[in-house]
Amino acid sequence: MRRRHLVPLLAVSVTATLAPALTTSTATAAPAAVPAAAVLPAAGKSALDRYAKQKPQWKRCPEPEAPPEIRCATIQVPLDYRKPGGKRIELAISRIEATGPGKRQGVLLSNPGGPGGPGLYLPLGMAEWLPAAARQKNDLIGFDPRGVGSSTPVTCGLEPKEEDWLRPYKPETFADDVAWARTVARKCEEKAGDILPHITTRNTARDMDLIRAVLGEKKINYVGYSYGTYLGAVYAQLFPKRADRFVLDSAVDPERAWRGMIQWWAEGAEPAFDRWTAWAAERSETYGLGDTPKKVEGAFWDLVERARQKPIDLDGQVVTGDDIRMGMRAAVFTPLYATEAFVELSNAADGETVAPKKLREFLRPEGRHATGATAATPADNGTASFWAVVCGDNSAAWSRNPESYRRDAIADRGRYPIFGDFASSIKPCAFWDRSVERATTVNNKAGSLVVQNEWDSQTPLPSGQALHRQLKGSRMVTVLGGEGHGIYPSGNPCTDGAVNRYLLTGKLPVKDVTCEATEGSNEQARQHREQDVLPVSPLPVRAPDRF
């Protein structure tokens, strides 16, 4: 299946105007659910009405490679839904119209993950992989979430090295890590302290409902990946009667947002590591890492120690033992890739020439990620918006005591030696302001379809199972043996068929569905890794340090 790969993203310059006042009986009136979720007095409700009455001015999108069928506009939303008459920010939205004359039934929104992932051009990918019948019925709606990309982008003024946030615990560097975390939080407060507290998942969900109202729809359909599953779950919690067909692919556990989700990366890596050592041992004649899992494990830790003593030079970029631990954390979920990459690393340690592109997960972020920033999108926008959500959604999840992070990092390095200290050591959230709202408890009966691979590096299987339990009206599709983060579409008839039937009919499976991964679907996941793209997305991948 062909997929576009657009470079990220230019700021949307088109604007929307506020329409003349409409009576509350019109299709574009503000839905009661919006002010109810914001707990607004009567004056607040009338203040929101004017937002719902906006008329998007659809124009060519600013990205030069964007085809003419996708149109862009900008609408305004309240910075603070508790004060809708106050400051406004812009929200960039896009649309590809339904293809079936007379068959249009509604809209389908989407989110590619993050937090901090732009989604303005995601409809281009959706247009390629959705069933033709679904394309006939739905306008495909994309948007950059508030604070992201073309939607009043936030910045903390961070240097590239300050964006490097997955840091191993070392007694001799912990004080520096505390200073780094404090500096990031201080810079964010100084640069965007008036905006960042309102860049939250709850407010992004409210923005989605305002998009719904502006488009004159009673309900929305939705496909969300990774972080987008949490956004979809929060929307369903705030607006259960507005949620129609919701597909939640590679799912976040709401009860662990967000420190606990980062710690899932360490917990989930251990069984994946064991699976990898067994896989490599069975192929010892090919790869030479050892003919038992124990020997393969020994080869791994031997290389980590070698690189600790003498870092590996990859075409001018240095790989330490900690970098190997960090890279293998995500790599082991795809044993073939992990084995080939590990052999390349071993060869590099022996002084042989290798291809650094194959080893991108072992390079520090400043060597791995392209910012894609434009004049209108700050270079650190992805990181600034990431911390706004990760810290601001639930500040209660983050201790204010730096020493508690030291203790947790030491303990979790023992429990989860691959990645435990990375996950549990200090983050900027330790110095972030308190959340302006309580954390969202997800516990509703809105219908949705949770789709989950068994071997997912960013949202491990137990995370998807947890979201399924909390969404009482959901069904779950589990792909046994499935590798990779982001599933639909995968070319697996079982998985794709379950999602397509739901999107077309609105009927969930009678019971949970278990699919077996196919060689083709796992091969597609490996190709996504090699091509540096998210499944079905025209956006560059930001894994393994994002959801």
Side-chain angles (χ1 to χ4, degrees):
M1 179 181 298
R2 184 176 63 87
R3 289 180 173 81
R4 291 183 179 88
H5 190 181
L6 293 178
V7 296
L9 290 172
L10 301 178
V12 175
S13 59
V14 293
T15 60
T17 59
L18 294 177
L22 300 176
T23 65
T24 56
S25 62
T26 63
T28 55
V34 176
V39 195
L40 296 176
K45 294 180 182 180
S46 60
L48 266 182
D49 285 346
R50 62 183 180 182
Y51 289 99
K53 295 171 184 175
Q54 296 175 88
K55 298 294 184 182
Q57 304 299 298
W58 299 107
K59 298 181 180 180
R60 282 293 299 265
C61 295
E63 168 56 52
E65 296 183 35
E69 64 262 27
I70 185 168
R71 310 289 283 180
C72 290
T74 300
I75 63 173
Q76 294 184 329
V77 297
L79 172 64
D80 184 350
Y81 275 86
R82 300 169 303 174
K83 301 175 182 178
K87 183 175 181 178
R88 305 175 185 179
I89 58 175
E90 292 185 338
L91 202 69
I93 61 176
S94 62
R95 180 179 69 179
I96 298 178
E97 292 186 287
T99 59
K103 296 183 179 181
R104 182 190 179 280
Q105 294 181 356
V107 297
L108 191 152
L109 278 68
S110 57
N111 179 275
L120 190 66
Y121 294 95
L122 189 54
L124 292 173
M126 294 167 57
E128 293 189 355
W129 51 259
L130 280 173
R135 286 284 295 107
Q136 291 176 345
K137 296 178 180 179
N138 292 285
D139 291 347
L140 305 181
I141 306 298
F143 67 103
D144 283 350
R146 58 170 49 209
V148 175
S150 300
S151 294
T152 310
V154 294
T155 178
C156 296
L158 300 177
E159 299 296 327
K161 288 186 177 180
E162 292 173 325
E163 297 186 66
D164 178 9
W165 65 276
L166 288 173
R167 298 173 174 229
Y169 171 76
K170 296 176 184 293
E172 64 271 22
T173 61
F174 184 69
D176 292 337
D177 293 338
V178 173
W180 157 78
R182 183 182 285 111
T183 296
V184 170
R186 175 183 56 78
K187 282 190 167 184
C188 289
E189 171 65 26
E190 291 173 351
K191 272 282 189 179
D194 58 333
I195 294 179
L196 287 179
H198 307 290
I199 307 299
T200 64
T201 302
R202 287 173 71 90
N203 279 336
T204 300
R206 291 174 177 130
D207 292 342
M208 287 172 56
D209 203 57
L210 198 51
I211 292 172
R212 175 200 60 76
V214 166
L215 297 177
E217 301 295 332
K218 293 182 178 179
K219 294 185 177 184
I220 61 170
N221 303 306
Y222 177 77
V223 177
Y225 295 88
S226 197
Y227 165 73
T229 66
Y230 180 64
L231 175 60
V234 170
Y235 182 91
Q237 187 66 34
L238 297 180
F239 311 104
K241 295 183 179 180
R242 308 291 190 187
D244 196 357
R245 303 167 194 188
F246 269 45
V247 176
L248 307 178
D249 187 326
S250 306
V252 166
D253 177 358
E255 292 182 348
R256 297 189 65 156
W258 284 102
R259 190 181 186 220
M261 281 305 304
I262 295 171
Q263 289 171 322
W264 257 131
W265 294 350
E267 297 169 38
E270 295 301 316
F273 183 85
D274 292 343
R275 176 177 178 248
W276 167 65
T277 59
W279 189 96
E282 291 173 357
R283 296 158 179 82
S284 61
E285 292 186 2
T286 301
Y287 298 105
L289 300 182
D291 58 5
T292 67
K294 194 70 174 176
K295 290 179 181 178
V296 175
E297 181 180 0
F300 170 79
W301 289 112
D302 285 347
L303 185 60
V304 169
E305 179 59 20
R306 287 178 63 190
R308 185 189 70 81
Q309 296 182 17
K310 182 182 178 181
I312 302 169
D313 187 334
L314 286 181
D315 196 22
Q317 298 186 62
V318 172
V319 175
T320 67
D322 290 326
D323 294 332
I324 294 174
R325 288 197 295 131
M326 182 175 69
M328 286 297 283
R329 195 282 304 174
V332 292
F333 285 83
T334 306
L336 176 61
Y337 170 76
T339 307
E340 293 179 344
F342 187 79
V343 170
E344 286 283 288
L345 275 175
S346 298
N347 291 339
D350 291 336
E352 298 180 22
T353 301
V354 299
K357 184 178 179 181
K358 296 182 179 179
L359 301 172
R360 66 175 183 80
E361 288 182 353
F362 298 87
L363 304 176
R364 302 305 292 178
E366 60 264 29
R368 184 176 67 233
H369 297 312
T371 64
T374 68
T377 306
D380 70 334
N381 175 241
T383 298
S385 52
F386 175 80
W387 288 125
V389 173
V390 168
C391 300
D393 270 0
N394 182 17
S395 60
W398 299 94
S399 169
R400 296 327 221 204
N401 178 10
E403 284 303 308
S404 70
Y405 293 94
R406 182 199 299 271
R407 292 192 297 269
D408 288 351
I410 294 171
D412 284 350
R413 173 69 186 268
R415 295 188 188 101
Y416 316 112
I418 305 298
F419 200 70
D421 55 324
F422 284 91
S424 292
S425 195
I426 196 161
K427 308 291 185 288
C429 304
F431 304 101
W432 213 261
D433 284 345
R434 299 289 182 181
S435 300
V436 297
E437 292 188 87
R438 70 186 187 281
T440 304
T441 299
V442 173
N443 181 17
N444 64 73
K445 296 182 179 179
S448 60
L449 188 65
V450 178
V451 188
Q452 186 70 42
N453 270 333
E454 182 180 9
W455 299 104
D456 183 327
S457 62
Q458 305 310 104
T459 54
L461 178 59
S463 178
Q465 293 168 333
L467 179 62
H468 176 37
R469 288 193 299 270
Q470 293 163 51
L471 292 171
K472 310 297 184 184
S474 68
R475 292 289 185 270
M476 185 168 182
V477 177
T478 303
V479 187
L480 295 181
E483 299 172 359
H485 182 57
I487 302 170
Y488 178 76
S490 65
N492 184 331
C494 177
T495 309
D496 293 353
V499 174
N500 288 338
R501 284 190 294 272
Y502 174 53
L503 288 175
L504 290 172
T505 68
K507 296 180 180 179
L508 287 165
V510 176
K511 59 182 181 179
D512 291 345
V513 176
T514 299
C515 298
E516 296 282 347
T518 66
E519 179 57 33
S521 62
N522 280 347
E523 175 61 27
Q524 193 168 67
R526 289 191 285 270
Q527 290 176 1
H528 292 146
R529 181 190 297 275
E530 293 170 1
Q531 294 169 0
D532 200 33
V533 295
L534 282 171
V536 312
S537 173
L539 304 174
V541 68
R542 285 189 312 278
D545 60 354
R546 294 293 190 271
F547 295 96

